[in-house]
Amino acid sequence: MARYKVIINRSTCIACGAAPATCNEIFELGDDNGKNRVVAKYSVELTHEISIGIIPEELYECAKSGAEVCPVSAIRVEKIEGE
């Protein structure tokens, strides 16, 4: 089963809440700086500048929708190759 990496550039993020509103299974506004981040369940790295998570294939469409609604293109979703 494929897995995907979700990368959020928190420096670019404007904390509008569009991605969490679209896909709250993956995205949330952080209590650290108010910017978007991957929820703890899928998070593998979190700093003030970046949030990275690994998600299962069944959440790909949700993650993609969240990335597409981001008005500043701060979210990328990439397939993890070689799995």
Side-chain angles (χ1 to χ4, degrees), residues 4-82:
Y4 293 83
K5 183 185 284 189
V6 177
I7 303 135
I8 303 167
N9 182 335
R10 299 181 88 202
S11 297
T12 303
C13 177
I14 59 171
C16 69
T22 302
C23 181
N24 65 3
E25 295 97 320
I26 298 171
F27 304 108
E28 68 183 1
L29 293 180
D31 55 11
D32 56 341
N33 65 3
K35 301 216 177 166
N36 196 15
R37 67 182 184 194
V38 176
V39 297
K41 180 176 180 178
Y42 300 112
S43 181
V44 295
E45 182 180 344
L46 176 64
T47 68
H48 278 320
E49 291 81 35
I50 196 162
S51 177
I52 298 175
I54 305 296
I55 61 166
E57 186 172 25
E58 61 265 17
L59 289 176
Y60 171 73
E61 288 299 326
C62 186
K64 185 175 157 215
S65 295
E68 288 172 350
V69 299
C70 177
V72 294
S73 302
I75 304 168
R76 292 191 335 261
V77 182
E78 303 173 352
K79 185 173 185 178
I80 299 171
E81 298 297 335

